[in-house]
Protein backbone atom coordinates (compact mmCIF):
# COMPACT_ATOMS: atom_id res chain seq x y z
CA UNK A 1 0.00 0.00 0.00
CA UNK A 2 1.49 3.39 -0.98
CA UNK A 3 2.47 5.90 1.66
CA UNK A 4 1.12 8.63 -0.65
CA UNK A 5 -2.42 7.59 0.27
CA UNK A 6 -1.68 8.34 3.92
CA UNK A 7 0.13 11.70 3.61
CA UNK A 8 -0.22 13.74 0.42
CA UNK A 9 2.32 16.32 1.64
CA UNK A 10 4.97 13.62 1.67
CA UNK A 11 4.32 12.65 -1.94
CA UNK A 12 6.85 15.03 -3.48
CA UNK A 13 9.61 13.91 -1.11
CA UNK A 14 8.80 10.30 -1.85
CA UNK A 15 9.10 10.90 -5.59
CA UNK A 16 12.44 12.71 -5.15
CA UNK A 17 13.65 9.82 -3.03
CA UNK A 18 12.59 7.41 -5.75
CA UNK A 19 14.55 9.46 -8.36
CA UNK A 20 17.64 10.55 -6.45
CA UNK A 21 17.59 9.01 -2.98
CA UNK A 22 19.20 5.63 -3.73
CA UNK A 23 22.03 5.06 -6.21
CA UNK A 24 23.56 1.64 -6.63
CA UNK A 25 27.26 1.53 -7.60
CA UNK A 26 29.24 -1.68 -7.87
CA UNK A 27 26.76 -3.54 -5.63
CA UNK A 28 26.75 -0.83 -2.94
CA UNK A 29 23.83 1.28 -1.73
CA UNK A 30 24.53 4.96 -1.27
CA UNK A 31 21.97 7.12 0.52
CA UNK A 32 22.23 10.70 -0.77
CA UNK A 33 20.04 12.01 2.08
CA UNK A 34 21.86 13.75 4.88
CA UNK A 35 21.40 12.73 8.48
CA UNK A 36 19.14 15.67 9.15
CA UNK A 37 17.03 14.90 6.10
CA UNK A 38 16.81 11.23 7.11
CA UNK A 39 15.82 12.20 10.65
CA UNK A 40 13.11 14.50 9.35
CA UNK A 41 12.04 11.71 7.00
CA UNK A 42 11.60 9.22 9.86
CA UNK A 43 9.78 11.77 12.01
CA UNK A 44 7.40 12.82 9.26
CA UNK A 45 3.64 12.40 9.82
CA UNK A 46 3.47 9.67 7.17
CA UNK A 47 6.18 7.54 8.78
CA UNK A 48 4.68 8.04 12.24
CA UNK A 49 1.27 6.98 10.90
CA UNK A 50 2.86 3.97 9.20
CA UNK A 51 4.59 2.94 12.45
CA UNK A 52 1.38 3.34 14.42
CA UNK A 53 -0.47 1.30 11.82
CA UNK A 54 2.02 -1.59 12.11
CA UNK A 55 1.86 -1.51 15.91
CA UNK A 56 -1.94 -1.69 15.93
CA UNK A 57 -1.95 -4.57 13.40
CA UNK A 58 0.64 -6.53 15.40
CA UNK A 59 -1.32 -5.96 18.60
CA UNK A 60 -4.54 -7.31 17.04
CA UNK A 61 -2.67 -10.35 15.73
CA UNK A 62 -1.10 -11.01 19.13
CA UNK A 63 -4.43 -10.72 20.95
CA UNK A 64 -6.09 -13.04 18.43
CA UNK A 65 -3.34 -15.69 18.77
CA UNK A 66 -3.49 -15.63 22.58
CA UNK A 67 -7.24 -16.06 22.59
CA UNK A 68 -7.04 -18.91 20.09
CA UNK A 69 -4.41 -20.68 22.22
CA UNK A 70 -6.75 -20.46 25.23
CA UNK A 71 -9.66 -21.92 23.28
CA UNK A 72 -7.69 -24.45 21.20
CA UNK A 73 -4.69 -25.98 23.04
CA UNK A 74 -3.55 -27.64 19.80
CA UNK A 75 -2.98 -24.24 18.16
CA UNK A 76 0.77 -23.42 18.11
CA UNK A 77 1.58 -20.11 16.34
CA UNK A 78 5.05 -19.75 14.81
CA UNK A 79 6.95 -17.04 12.86
CA UNK A 80 7.35 -19.48 9.99
CA UNK A 81 3.59 -19.31 9.39
CA UNK A 82 3.97 -15.92 7.65
CA UNK A 83 6.33 -17.40 5.02
CA UNK A 84 4.51 -20.72 4.64
CA UNK A 85 2.86 -21.53 1.32
CA UNK A 86 -0.84 -20.78 1.20
CA UNK A 87 -3.15 -23.76 0.90
CA UNK A 88 -5.45 -21.53 -1.17
CA UNK A 89 -5.01 -18.09 -2.70
CA UNK A 90 -7.64 -16.45 -0.49
CA UNK A 91 -9.47 -13.20 -0.95
CA UNK A 92 -9.40 -11.10 2.24
CA UNK A 93 -12.65 -9.37 1.24
CA UNK A 94 -14.54 -12.67 1.61
CA UNK A 95 -15.66 -13.73 5.08
CA UNK A 96 -14.80 -17.43 4.99
CA UNK A 97 -16.01 -17.86 8.54
CA UNK A 98 -19.51 -16.90 7.46
CA UNK A 99 -19.22 -19.20 4.45
CA UNK A 100 -18.65 -22.17 6.81
CA UNK A 101 -21.03 -20.84 9.44
CA UNK A 102 -18.50 -20.91 12.29
CA UNK A 103 -17.02 -18.48 14.82
CA UNK A 104 -13.67 -16.85 14.07
CA UNK A 105 -12.15 -18.65 17.08
CA UNK A 106 -13.58 -22.08 16.21
CA UNK A 107 -11.24 -25.04 16.73
CA UNK A 108 -10.15 -27.23 13.83
CA UNK A 109 -12.53 -30.05 14.79
CA UNK A 110 -15.40 -27.58 14.59
CA UNK A 111 -14.24 -26.49 11.13
CA UNK A 112 -14.22 -30.07 9.94
CA UNK A 113 -17.66 -30.74 11.45
CA UNK A 114 -19.18 -27.66 9.79
CA UNK A 115 -17.62 -28.59 6.43
CA UNK A 116 -19.03 -32.13 6.60
CA UNK A 117 -22.46 -30.88 7.64
CA UNK A 118 -22.67 -28.49 4.69
CA UNK A 119 -21.24 -31.10 2.31
CA UNK A 120 -24.16 -33.41 3.13
CA UNK A 121 -26.44 -30.77 1.61
CA UNK A 122 -24.46 -29.06 -1.18
CA UNK A 123 -22.10 -31.78 -2.40
CA UNK A 124 -22.64 -32.60 -6.12
CA UNK A 125 -23.41 -36.21 -5.17
CA UNK A 126 -26.40 -34.94 -3.16
CA UNK A 127 -27.95 -32.99 -6.04
CA UNK A 128 -29.28 -35.96 -7.98
CA UNK A 129 -32.93 -35.47 -8.82
CA UNK A 130 -32.70 -31.65 -8.83
CA UNK A 131 -33.22 -29.48 -11.86
CA UNK A 132 -30.12 -28.20 -13.70
CA UNK A 133 -30.35 -24.65 -12.38
CA UNK A 134 -30.56 -25.77 -8.74
CA UNK A 135 -27.80 -28.34 -9.23
CA UNK A 136 -25.52 -25.68 -10.78
CA UNK A 137 -26.26 -23.28 -7.93
CA UNK A 138 -25.46 -25.98 -5.36
CA UNK A 139 -22.22 -26.75 -7.19
CA UNK A 140 -21.07 -23.12 -6.98
CA UNK A 141 -22.00 -22.99 -3.30
CA UNK A 142 -20.00 -26.15 -2.64
CA UNK A 143 -16.96 -24.61 -4.34
CA UNK A 144 -17.18 -21.64 -1.95
CA UNK A 145 -17.54 -24.02 1.01
CA UNK A 146 -14.55 -26.05 -0.11
CA UNK A 147 -12.38 -22.93 -0.62
CA UNK A 148 -13.34 -21.67 2.83
CA UNK A 149 -12.35 -24.98 4.38
CA UNK A 150 -9.02 -24.92 2.52
CA UNK A 151 -8.25 -21.51 4.02
CA UNK A 152 -9.50 -22.09 7.54
CA UNK A 153 -8.51 -25.74 7.81
CA UNK A 154 -4.79 -24.91 7.50
CA UNK A 155 -3.38 -22.98 10.49
CA UNK A 156 -0.62 -21.01 8.63
CA UNK A 157 -3.02 -19.99 5.86
CA UNK A 158 -5.65 -19.12 8.42
CA UNK A 159 -3.22 -16.84 10.30
CA UNK A 160 -2.23 -15.07 7.06
CA UNK A 161 -5.91 -14.63 6.18
CA UNK A 162 -6.75 -13.26 9.65
CA UNK A 163 -3.84 -10.80 9.47
CA UNK A 164 -4.90 -9.57 6.03
CA UNK A 165 -8.39 -8.94 7.34
CA UNK A 166 -7.03 -7.20 10.44
CA UNK A 167 -4.90 -4.92 8.23
CA UNK A 168 -8.01 -3.83 6.33
CA UNK A 169 -9.97 -3.23 9.54
CA UNK A 170 -7.18 -1.17 11.11
CA UNK A 171 -6.76 0.94 7.94
CA UNK A 172 -10.49 1.66 7.93
CA UNK A 173 -10.42 2.59 11.61
CA UNK A 174 -7.40 4.91 11.24
CA UNK A 175 -7.96 6.57 7.85
CA UNK A 176 -11.45 5.62 6.77
CA UNK A 177 -12.28 3.58 3.66
CA UNK A 178 -8.97 2.83 1.96
CA UNK A 179 -10.30 0.93 -1.01
CA UNK A 180 -13.47 1.50 -2.93
CA UNK A 181 -13.77 -2.17 -3.83
CA UNK A 182 -16.71 -3.83 -2.17
CA UNK A 183 -16.69 -7.30 -0.68
CA UNK A 184 -17.51 -9.95 -3.21
CA UNK A 185 -20.80 -11.84 -3.05
CA UNK A 186 -20.42 -14.89 -0.85
CA UNK A 187 -22.41 -17.80 0.50
CA UNK A 188 -23.83 -17.27 4.01
CA UNK A 189 -23.92 -20.59 5.89
CA UNK A 190 -25.67 -19.01 8.89
CA UNK A 191 -28.72 -18.10 6.82
CA UNK A 192 -28.60 -21.41 4.97
CA UNK A 193 -28.58 -23.35 8.23
CA UNK A 194 -31.46 -21.25 9.54
CA UNK A 195 -33.48 -22.03 6.41
CA UNK A 196 -32.65 -25.72 6.70
CA UNK A 197 -33.65 -25.72 10.37
CA UNK A 198 -36.93 -23.97 9.50
CA UNK A 199 -37.69 -26.46 6.72
CA UNK A 200 -36.96 -29.47 8.91
CA UNK A 201 -39.83 -30.86 10.99
CA UNK A 202 -39.89 -30.21 14.72
CA UNK A 203 -38.38 -32.84 17.00
CA UNK A 204 -40.52 -35.65 18.29
CA UNK A 205 -42.60 -35.27 21.41
CA UNK A 206 -42.49 -37.95 24.10
CA UNK A 207 -45.80 -39.49 25.16
CA UNK A 208 -45.94 -41.49 28.39
CA UNK A 209 -47.91 -44.75 28.28
CA UNK A 210 -48.52 -46.72 31.48
CA UNK A 211 -48.70 -50.52 31.22
CA UNK A 212 -50.31 -52.61 33.97
CA UNK A 213 -48.64 -56.02 34.07
CA UNK A 214 -49.32 -59.02 36.25
CA UNK A 215 -46.82 -59.96 38.92
CA UNK A 216 -46.08 -63.23 37.11
CA UNK A 217 -45.31 -61.35 33.89
CA UNK A 218 -42.88 -59.07 35.70
CA UNK A 219 -41.34 -62.03 37.56
CA UNK A 220 -40.75 -64.35 34.60
CA UNK A 221 -40.58 -61.72 31.85
CA UNK A 222 -42.08 -61.94 28.39
CA UNK A 223 -43.84 -60.02 25.66
CA UNK A 224 -46.70 -57.69 26.47
CA UNK A 225 -49.11 -56.57 23.73
CA UNK A 226 -50.43 -53.01 24.14
CA UNK A 227 -53.19 -51.76 21.82
CA UNK A 228 -53.69 -48.02 21.40
CA UNK A 229 -55.04 -45.77 18.61
CA UNK A 230 -52.48 -44.21 16.28
CA UNK A 231 -52.63 -41.57 13.52
CA UNK A 232 -50.40 -42.48 10.55
CA UNK A 233 -49.58 -40.61 7.34
CA UNK A 234 -49.56 -42.80 4.24
CA UNK A 235 -49.31 -42.18 0.50
CA UNK A 236 -53.10 -42.13 0.35
CA UNK A 237 -53.50 -39.65 3.18
CA UNK A 238 -54.02 -39.86 6.91
CA UNK A 239 -55.03 -43.15 8.49
CA UNK A 240 -56.39 -43.88 11.98
CA UNK A 241 -55.67 -47.38 13.21
CA UNK A 242 -55.58 -49.53 16.33
CA UNK A 243 -51.89 -50.36 16.54
CA UNK A 244 -50.40 -53.23 18.54
CA UNK A 245 -47.19 -52.29 20.37
CA UNK A 246 -45.21 -55.31 21.56
CA UNK A 247 -43.22 -54.42 24.68
CA UNK A 248 -40.58 -56.80 25.99
CA UNK A 249 -40.76 -57.01 29.78
CA UNK A 250 -37.41 -58.16 31.25
CA UNK A 251 -37.16 -60.97 33.78
CA UNK A 252 -37.53 -59.78 37.38
CA UNK A 253 -38.69 -56.43 36.05
CA UNK A 254 -38.40 -53.50 38.44
CA UNK A 255 -41.42 -51.40 39.35
CA UNK A 256 -41.95 -48.45 36.97
CA UNK A 257 -39.46 -49.85 34.49
CA UNK A 258 -39.16 -47.57 31.44
CA UNK A 259 -39.00 -48.64 27.82
CA UNK A 260 -38.63 -46.01 25.06
CA UNK A 261 -39.94 -46.76 21.57
CA UNK A 262 -38.77 -44.02 19.18
CA UNK A 263 -41.03 -42.63 16.42
CA UNK A 264 -43.72 -45.23 17.14
CA UNK A 265 -46.52 -42.83 18.11
CA UNK A 266 -48.80 -40.49 16.20
CA UNK A 267 -47.60 -38.81 12.99
CA UNK A 268 -47.85 -35.04 12.48
CA UNK A 269 -47.64 -32.66 9.53
CA UNK A 270 -44.72 -30.47 10.70
CA UNK A 271 -43.30 -32.63 13.43
CA UNK A 272 -41.57 -35.97 13.62
CA UNK A 273 -43.58 -38.95 14.93
CA UNK A 274 -44.00 -39.12 18.69
CA UNK A 275 -41.77 -41.21 20.93
CA UNK A 276 -43.61 -43.59 23.26
CA UNK A 277 -42.23 -43.95 26.77
CA UNK A 278 -43.76 -47.09 28.25
CA UNK A 279 -43.76 -47.32 32.07
CA UNK A 280 -44.45 -50.80 33.43
CA UNK A 281 -46.39 -50.94 36.70
CA UNK A 282 -47.44 -54.07 38.55
CA UNK A 283 -51.07 -55.04 39.02
CA UNK A 284 -52.44 -55.91 42.43
CA UNK A 285 -51.89 -59.61 43.14
CA UNK A 286 -54.60 -61.63 44.91
CA UNK A 287 -52.13 -63.52 47.17
CA UNK A 288 -48.90 -61.51 47.33
CA UNK A 289 -47.74 -57.97 48.11
CA UNK A 290 -44.49 -56.72 46.64
CA UNK A 291 -42.32 -54.79 49.10
CA UNK A 292 -39.15 -53.85 47.27
CA UNK A 293 -37.45 -57.14 46.49
CA UNK A 294 -39.53 -59.11 49.02
CA UNK A 295 -42.82 -60.91 48.46
CA UNK A 296 -45.23 -61.00 51.42
CA UNK A 297 -48.20 -63.35 51.61
CA UNK A 298 -51.40 -61.39 52.18
CA UNK A 299 -53.20 -63.95 54.32
CA UNK A 300 -51.95 -66.00 57.26
CA UNK A 301 -51.54 -69.74 56.81
CA UNK A 302 -53.68 -71.46 59.44
CA UNK A 303 -52.96 -75.04 60.37
CA UNK A 304 -55.56 -77.66 61.21
CA UNK A 305 -56.74 -78.42 64.73
CA UNK A 306 -54.34 -80.52 66.75
CA UNK A 307 -51.25 -79.15 65.01
CA UNK A 308 -49.77 -77.98 68.35
CA UNK A 309 -49.68 -81.50 69.72
CA UNK A 310 -48.04 -82.93 66.61
CA UNK A 311 -44.22 -83.11 66.92
CA UNK A 312 -43.91 -82.35 63.21
CA UNK A 313 -45.54 -79.68 61.09
CA UNK A 314 -46.10 -79.08 57.39
CA UNK A 315 -47.70 -76.34 55.33
CA UNK A 316 -48.15 -75.58 51.66
CA UNK A 317 -47.86 -72.03 50.34
CA UNK A 318 -48.55 -70.91 46.78
CA UNK A 319 -46.34 -67.99 45.78
CA UNK A 320 -45.91 -66.48 42.34
CA UNK A 321 -47.86 -68.38 39.71
CA UNK A 322 -45.95 -71.55 38.86
CA UNK A 323 -44.14 -71.79 42.24
CA UNK A 324 -45.42 -73.82 45.22
CA UNK A 325 -43.55 -74.02 48.54
CA UNK A 326 -43.82 -77.02 50.86
CA UNK A 327 -42.62 -76.35 54.43
CA UNK A 328 -42.01 -79.26 56.83
CA UNK A 329 -39.95 -80.05 59.92
CA UNK A 330 -40.05 -80.06 63.74
CA UNK A 331 -42.93 -78.31 65.45
CA UNK A 332 -41.30 -75.41 67.27
CA UNK A 333 -44.26 -75.06 69.69
CA UNK A 334 -44.49 -78.71 70.56
CA UNK A 335 -44.31 -79.16 74.34
CA UNK A 336 -45.59 -75.71 75.26
CA UNK A 337 -48.55 -75.56 77.64
CA UNK A 338 -51.86 -75.52 75.86
CA UNK A 339 -53.36 -72.04 75.82
CA UNK A 340 -55.84 -69.77 74.11
CA UNK A 341 -52.97 -67.43 73.23
CA UNK A 342 -51.75 -67.40 69.69
CA UNK A 343 -48.81 -69.41 68.44
CA UNK A 344 -47.31 -67.88 65.34
CA UNK A 345 -44.37 -68.96 63.19
CA UNK A 346 -42.91 -66.22 60.99
CA UNK A 347 -41.09 -67.71 58.00
CA UNK A 348 -38.70 -65.91 55.66
CA UNK A 349 -37.27 -67.86 52.71
CA UNK A 350 -34.22 -66.11 51.22
CA UNK A 351 -33.99 -66.37 47.45
CA UNK A 352 -37.74 -66.77 46.88
CA UNK A 353 -38.48 -63.06 46.70
CA UNK A 354 -38.78 -61.01 43.56
CA UNK A 355 -35.07 -61.46 42.89
CA UNK A 356 -32.18 -63.50 44.28
CA UNK A 357 -31.70 -61.10 47.20
CA UNK A 358 -35.35 -60.93 48.20
CA UNK A 359 -37.35 -63.09 50.59
CA UNK A 360 -40.73 -64.78 50.56
CA UNK A 361 -42.33 -63.94 53.92
CA UNK A 362 -45.46 -65.48 55.42
CA UNK A 363 -46.94 -66.28 58.85
CA UNK A 364 -48.17 -69.67 60.05
CA UNK A 365 -50.72 -69.58 62.85
CA UNK A 366 -51.46 -72.57 65.07
CA UNK A 367 -55.00 -73.06 66.37
CA UNK A 368 -55.54 -72.49 70.09
CA UNK A 369 -55.94 -75.64 72.16
CA UNK A 370 -57.03 -75.79 75.82
CA UNK A 371 -56.67 -78.92 77.96
CA UNK A 372 -57.23 -79.71 81.62
CA UNK A 373 -53.76 -81.18 81.86
CA UNK A 374 -51.00 -79.50 83.82
CA UNK A 375 -49.41 -76.44 82.37
CA UNK A 376 -45.97 -77.45 83.55
CA UNK A 377 -43.30 -77.62 80.95
CA UNK A 378 -42.06 -81.15 80.19
CA UNK A 379 -38.39 -81.47 81.22
CA UNK A 380 -37.40 -82.67 77.76
CA UNK A 381 -38.70 -79.52 76.16
CA UNK A 382 -37.56 -76.86 78.60
CA UNK A 383 -34.75 -75.88 76.22
CA UNK A 384 -37.39 -74.58 73.87
CA UNK A 385 -38.08 -71.65 76.19
CA UNK A 386 -34.49 -71.03 77.23
CA UNK A 387 -33.90 -70.28 80.92
CA UNK A 388 -36.83 -69.70 83.32
CA UNK A 389 -40.27 -71.16 83.53
CA UNK A 390 -43.40 -70.42 81.62
CA UNK A 391 -45.19 -68.08 84.00
CA UNK A 392 -48.35 -67.24 82.09
CA UNK A 393 -50.29 -69.66 79.96
CA UNK A 394 -51.99 -66.81 78.19
CA UNK A 395 -48.71 -65.26 77.00
CA UNK A 396 -48.42 -65.31 73.15
CA UNK A 397 -45.54 -67.27 71.67
CA UNK A 398 -43.75 -66.55 68.41
CA UNK A 399 -40.83 -67.94 66.46
CA UNK A 400 -38.83 -66.49 63.57
CA UNK A 401 -37.51 -68.98 61.03
CA UNK A 402 -35.06 -67.85 58.36
CA UNK A 403 -34.50 -70.39 55.60
CA UNK A 404 -31.67 -70.21 53.09
CA UNK A 405 -30.71 -72.34 50.10
CA UNK A 406 -29.12 -75.69 50.98
CA UNK A 407 -28.02 -76.91 47.57
CA UNK A 408 -28.25 -76.13 43.88
CA UNK A 409 -31.67 -76.57 42.20
CA UNK A 410 -32.63 -79.96 40.81
CA UNK A 411 -34.13 -80.09 37.32
CA UNK A 412 -36.84 -82.68 36.80
CA UNK A 413 -37.33 -84.53 33.54
CA UNK A 414 -40.95 -83.45 33.16
CA UNK A 415 -42.94 -81.81 30.39
CA UNK A 416 -43.00 -78.89 30.77
CA UNK A 417 -39.70 -78.58 32.61
CA UNK A 418 -39.86 -78.27 36.41
CA UNK A 419 -37.26 -77.47 39.04
CA UNK A 420 -36.93 -78.24 42.75
CA UNK A 421 -35.29 -75.75 45.12
CA UNK A 422 -34.23 -76.80 48.63
CA UNK A 423 -34.09 -74.52 51.69
CA UNK A 424 -33.45 -74.95 55.39
CA UNK A 425 -32.76 -73.00 58.60
CA UNK A 426 -29.71 -75.01 59.63
CA UNK A 427 -27.53 -71.87 59.30
CA UNK A 428 -29.88 -69.74 61.40
CA UNK A 429 -28.46 -68.38 64.65
CA UNK A 430 -30.23 -69.45 67.87
CA UNK A 431 -30.01 -65.88 69.18
CA UNK A 432 -33.44 -64.25 68.89
CA UNK A 433 -34.72 -60.78 69.62
CA UNK A 434 -37.04 -60.60 72.65
CA UNK A 435 -40.23 -58.59 72.31
CA UNK A 436 -42.06 -57.31 75.35
CA UNK A 437 -45.08 -59.39 76.24
CA UNK A 438 -44.27 -62.09 73.70
CA UNK A 439 -42.52 -65.35 74.40
CA UNK A 440 -39.73 -65.88 71.87
CA UNK A 441 -39.29 -69.52 70.99
CA UNK A 442 -36.03 -70.80 69.59
CA UNK A 443 -36.34 -72.29 66.11
CA UNK A 444 -36.06 -75.97 65.39
CA UNK A 445 -34.96 -77.60 62.12
CA UNK A 446 -37.28 -76.61 59.29
CA UNK A 447 -37.01 -77.36 55.58
CA UNK A 448 -38.75 -76.16 52.47
CA UNK A 449 -39.00 -77.51 48.94
CA UNK A 450 -40.13 -75.18 46.16
CA UNK A 451 -41.51 -76.66 42.96
CA UNK A 452 -41.10 -74.25 40.04
CA UNK A 453 -42.92 -74.80 36.75
CA UNK A 454 -43.08 -71.38 35.03
CA UNK A 455 -44.17 -72.59 31.57
CA UNK A 456 -47.33 -74.16 32.98
CA UNK A 457 -48.13 -71.52 35.59
CA UNK A 458 -51.72 -71.00 34.39
CA UNK A 459 -52.72 -74.57 35.09
CA UNK A 460 -49.94 -75.57 37.38
CA UNK A 461 -51.96 -75.77 40.59
CA UNK A 462 -53.24 -79.34 40.11
CA UNK A 463 -49.88 -80.69 38.93
CA UNK A 464 -47.99 -78.87 41.64
CA UNK A 465 -50.43 -80.16 44.23
CA UNK A 466 -49.87 -83.77 43.19
CA UNK A 467 -46.11 -83.25 43.16
CA UNK A 468 -46.15 -81.61 46.60
CA UNK A 469 -48.15 -84.53 47.99
CA UNK A 470 -45.50 -86.95 46.69
CA UNK A 471 -42.68 -84.86 48.15
CA UNK A 472 -44.46 -84.67 51.52
CA UNK A 473 -44.97 -88.42 51.61
CA UNK A 474 -41.30 -89.07 50.82
CA UNK A 475 -40.03 -86.53 53.35
CA UNK A 476 -42.34 -87.66 56.15
CA UNK A 477 -41.48 -91.29 55.41
Amino acid sequence: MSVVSWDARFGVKQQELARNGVVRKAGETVNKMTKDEYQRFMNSPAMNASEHYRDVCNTRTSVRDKKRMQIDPSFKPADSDWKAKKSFDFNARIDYYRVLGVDEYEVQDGMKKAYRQLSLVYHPDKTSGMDKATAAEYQLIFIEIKNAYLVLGDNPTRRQYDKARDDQVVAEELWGQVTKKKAEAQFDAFKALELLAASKPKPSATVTVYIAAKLEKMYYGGMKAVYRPRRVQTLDGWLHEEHCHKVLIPRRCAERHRFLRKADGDHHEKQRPDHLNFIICGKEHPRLVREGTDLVLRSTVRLQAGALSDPYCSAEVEGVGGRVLLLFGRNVFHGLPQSTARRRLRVAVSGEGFDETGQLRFDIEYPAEVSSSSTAIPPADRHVLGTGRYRACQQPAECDAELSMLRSPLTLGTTPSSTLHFYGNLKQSVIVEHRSGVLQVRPRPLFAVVLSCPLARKGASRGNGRCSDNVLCRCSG
Side-chain angles (χ1 to χ4, degrees):
M1 183 177 300
S2 178
V3 184
V4 178
S5 61
W6 299 334
D7 191 353
R9 295 176 300 172
F10 195 67
V12 177
K13 292 184 179 181
Q14 188 181 27
Q15 292 177 4
E16 291 178 357
L17 180 64
R19 291 194 304 268
N20 307 319
V22 178
V23 178
R24 298 180 183 275
K25 293 181 179 180
E28 297 181 358
T29 302
V30 180
N31 191 349
K32 291 186 176 182
M33 292 172 48
T34 64
K35 291 183 179 181
D36 295 338
E37 291 176 343
Y38 181 76
Q39 191 66 29
R40 289 196 301 270
F41 171 76
M42 296 302 298
N43 294 331
S44 64
M47 293 303 297
N48 291 335
S50 176
E51 192 68 24
H52 177 63
Y53 168 77
R54 285 195 298 268
D55 291 341
V56 175
C57 291
N58 293 336
T59 301
R60 290 180 64 95
T61 301
S62 177
V63 171
R64 180 188 296 274
D65 290 342
K66 289 181 180 179
K67 188 172 181 180
R68 281 191 61 188
M69 284 191 292
Q70 294 177 356
I71 299 175
D72 186 5
S74 63
F75 172 67
K76 305 294 182 183
D79 294 338
S80 58
D81 294 342
W82 308 121
K83 298 180 180 180
K85 184 179 179 180
K86 299 178 182 178
S87 60
F88 178 75
D89 190 12
F90 57 79
N91 186 347
R93 295 192 301 274
I94 297 178
D95 189 353
Y96 292 113
Y97 291 103
R98 182 166 290 277
V99 173
L100 279 184
V102 295
D103 184 74
E104 61 178 346
Y105 294 103
E106 184 64 60
V107 298
Q108 288 298 328
D109 290 340
M111 299 288 184
K112 185 181 296 183
K113 183 178 179 181
Y115 173 68
R116 289 179 177 177
Q117 183 179 3
L118 294 172
S119 297
L120 293 176
V121 180
Y122 295 101
H123 195 275
D125 294 342
K126 306 296 182 180
T127 59
S128 58
M130 298 182 180
D131 56 275
K132 292 184 178 180
T134 305
E137 181 183 358
Y138 273 43
Q139 185 176 4
L140 294 177
I141 292 176
F142 179 73
I143 292 175
E144 291 188 47
I145 296 171
K146 184 178 180 181
N147 294 340
Y149 181 67
L150 289 175
V151 174
L152 303 180
D154 181 65
N155 275 326
T157 307
R158 182 179 177 182
R159 290 192 71 199
Q160 297 175 25
Y161 168 71
D162 289 337
K163 190 176 187 311
R165 295 181 68 210
D166 289 341
D167 293 347
Q168 289 186 353
V169 173
V170 172
E172 292 176 3
E173 292 177 354
L174 295 179
W175 304 292
Q177 187 69 29
V178 176
T179 176
K180 296 183 179 180
K181 294 183 179 179
K182 297 182 180 180
E184 296 183 2
Q186 59 189 28
F187 171 71
D188 192 341
F190 290 103
K191 293 183 179 179
L193 292 176
E194 291 178 0
L195 293 176
L196 288 176
S199 62
K200 287 183 178 180
K202 296 181 180 180
S204 303
T206 302
V207 179
T208 302
V209 180
Y210 291 92
I211 301 177
K214 293 182 178 180
L215 185 64
E216 285 76 10
K217 179 70 75 173
M218 301 179 70
Y219 185 86
Y220 294 107
M223 195 69 67
K224 175 73 173 179
V226 180
Y227 292 89
R228 65 186 308 272
R230 187 175 70 164
R231 182 170 176 257
V232 184
Q233 185 179 16
T234 63
L235 297 176
D236 299 331
W238 293 93
L239 176 65
H240 296 268
E241 61 178 6
E242 190 77 11
H243 187 70
C244 176
H245 304 273
K246 293 184 178 180
V247 180
L248 180 62
I249 299 179
R251 187 173 180 267
R252 309 293 175 90
C253 178
E255 187 70 21
R256 299 184 67 85
H257 175 74
R258 295 176 180 271
F259 180 80
L260 182 63
R261 186 72 64 81
K262 293 185 177 181
D264 205 19
D266 292 340
H267 293 194
H268 306 278
E269 293 183 1
K270 297 182 180 180
Q271 183 178 341
R272 295 184 183 275
D274 294 338
H275 298 330
L276 297 182
N277 184 25
F278 294 99
I279 300 179
I280 303 174
C281 303
K283 291 182 179 179
E284 184 178 357
H285 199 272
R287 298 186 307 275
L288 300 171
V289 177
R290 182 177 176 181
E291 296 182 358
T293 59
D294 295 346
L295 295 177
V296 182
L297 200 66
R298 289 181 180 272
S299 59
T300 303
V301 180
R302 292 178 171 80
L303 300 181
Q304 298 179 356
L308 275 175
S309 59
D310 194 343
Y312 295 94
C313 66
S314 63
E316 183 177 330
V317 176
E318 186 175 357
V320 181
R323 300 181 75 88
V324 176
L325 181 142
L326 174 63
L327 181 72
F328 59 93
R330 296 287 299 273
N331 186 359
V332 296
F333 301 111
H334 179 67
L336 290 181
Q338 296 181 357
S339 170
T340 58
R342 72 175 187 272
R343 302 288 188 264
R344 178 164 296 187
L345 174 64
R346 289 192 293 268
V347 182
V349 184
S350 299
E352 283 298 315
F354 202 80
D355 59 13
E356 289 78 5
T357 62
Q359 294 179 338
L360 174 62
R361 305 200 307 267
F362 57 91
D363 294 348
I364 298 178
E365 187 173 327
Y366 287 77
E369 295 183 2
V370 180
S371 175
S372 59
S373 61
S374 174
T375 59
I377 301 174
D381 293 326
R382 285 180 181 176
H383 69 281
V384 177
L385 304 180
T387 60
R389 293 180 56 83
Y390 186 57
R391 293 173 294 179
C393 296
Q394 300 302 324
Q395 187 178 14
E398 295 180 352
C399 178
D400 294 330
E402 298 179 0
L403 283 69
S404 58
M405 185 172 291
L406 297 177
R407 52 155 294 172
S408 58
L410 177 64
T411 303
L412 305 178
T414 59
T415 304
S417 177
S418 302
T419 308
L420 290 178
H421 303 261
F422 303 92
Y423 301 91
N425 67 338
L426 300 180
K427 299 180 181 179
Q428 181 180 0
S429 174
V430 297
I431 300 176
V432 296
E433 178 184 357
H434 293 273
R435 301 180 179 90
S436 60
V438 179
L439 179 63
Q440 295 296 315
V441 181
R442 294 183 179 182
R444 292 185 177 182
L446 289 173
F447 302 92
V449 178
V450 177
L451 175 64
S452 174
C453 186
L455 295 180
R457 55 181 180 268
K458 290 185 178 180
S461 299
R462 294 192 299 272
N464 290 346
R466 291 192 297 269
C467 184
S468 62
D469 292 341
N470 295 335
V471 174
L472 177 60
C473 293
R474 292 179 182 273
C475 294
S476 60

